[in-house]
Amino acid sequence: MMRVGATATQGLFLEEVSRLAGVEIAGCYQCGKCSAGCPMADEMDILPNQVLRLIQLNAQDELLAANGFWRCVSCQTCSSRCPKGIDAARVMDTLKILAVSRGWRPKDRLVAILQRLFLANIRRHGRLQELELAALFNLRSFRPFQDIRLVPKLHARGKLSLARHETRDIHSVQRIFELARPFDRPASTSEGHRP
Ligand code: SF4
Ligand code: SF4
């Protein structure tokens, strides 16, 4: 069972995440529809509705040490299903930003690699180059032929683009990365552990 313990410094966590995300997290009544539709639920140690509950409980350390929000792929399914209009996908993104700014990193090595490569890909091209990301991820994770047989199928179904889509205004994208740099605090201990 997960231990939930709030400290004085964690007392404002609900308020802080709600404000940063612009989401009324206190309004979540735990119906679970977000988690029921999440395509990544089987990969998460803490489901989307549980993430929201931990925020309500100000259980900052338990939440930031988990892998659930790192595995979110921002598909928006949870947000579109919520009967209360709570944008859980935005909360997940906000938690990643908060975690990095506090020196936390995903404890799962592959998730950490994917996060880094994803951001580097966007920074380089302005838009995601899916094939390049997949190839680099396979190389960096020492599994060069992982899922390679799926490429033709995914492409045929429009789930994987083989074309390059460069953005016209790459300088604006890179400027965003520059503005975010002060928040990218280096991990001060091993990944996934409290800084
Ligand atoms: S669907 Fe909405 S109200 Fe229901 S658990 Fe998820 S966030 Fe909370
Ligand atoms: S946005 Fe993230 S948490 Fe929400 S359904 Fe998609 S993967 Fe799951």
Side-chain angles (χ1 to χ4, degrees):
M1 179 181 291
M2 185 184 305
R3 181 182 61 85
V4 174
T7 68
T9 56
Q10 295 169 325
L12 299 175
F13 194 57
L14 169 61
E15 190 182 308
E16 181 181 23
V17 181
S18 301
R19 179 175 48 78
L20 288 173
V23 175
E24 189 53 58
I25 296 170
C28 168
Y29 62 173
Q30 290 295 300
C31 69
K33 281 179 76 83
C34 49
S35 300
C38 176
M40 296 301 291
D42 287 347
E43 305 291 328
M44 294 175 168
D45 56 356
I46 295 178
L47 298 174
N49 70 298
Q50 294 171 323
V51 166
L52 289 156
R53 187 64 183 138
L54 285 174
I55 297 170
Q56 290 175 336
L57 293 170
N58 292 308
Q60 174 177 311
D61 287 354
E62 288 80 359
L63 185 51
L64 295 183
N67 77 20
F69 64 92
W70 288 111
R71 299 209 162 191
C72 166
V73 294
S74 304
C75 70
Q76 311 284 327
T77 304
C78 50
S79 305
S80 66
R81 288 173 62 103
C82 178
K84 296 277 287 181
I86 292 170
D87 191 345
R90 194 170 171 86
V91 172
M92 297 291 193
D93 285 343
T94 302
L95 288 174
K96 289 176 191 165
I97 295 168
L98 256 181
V100 168
S101 72
R102 293 179 182 176
W104 293 80
R105 294 295 185 272
K107 61 185 171 187
D108 183 325
R109 189 181 68 87
L110 294 181
V111 174
I113 291 172
L114 183 63
Q115 292 282 339
R116 276 197 297 272
L117 290 175
F118 180 89
L119 289 174
N121 192 298
I122 296 290
R123 183 174 192 157
R124 248 191 324 274
H125 305 291
R127 294 178 62 180
L128 185 63
Q129 307 296 319
E130 294 171 341
L131 199 59
E132 177 185 308
L133 176 65
L136 287 176
F137 178 73
N138 278 4
L139 285 175
R140 290 286 303 277
S141 55
F142 305 110
R143 304 174 307 173
F145 303 113
Q146 172 86 5
D147 296 333
I148 201 156
R149 65 187 171 76
L150 295 178
V151 170
K153 276 187 199 168
L154 289 171
H155 180 54
R157 293 180 189 177
K159 303 286 186 190
L160 178 70
S161 172
L162 304 183
R164 292 180 72 85
H165 301 288
E166 304 282 344
T167 189
R168 269 178 279 176
D169 188 7
I170 188 69
H171 297 298
S172 293
V173 175
Q174 289 171 348
R175 173 88 180 121
I176 293 170
F177 278 88
E178 287 307 315
L179 289 171
R181 189 191 291 276
F183 300 99
D184 189 9
R185 184 178 146 196
S188 52
T189 64
S190 55
E191 291 178 341
H193 295 279
R194 189 177 185 179

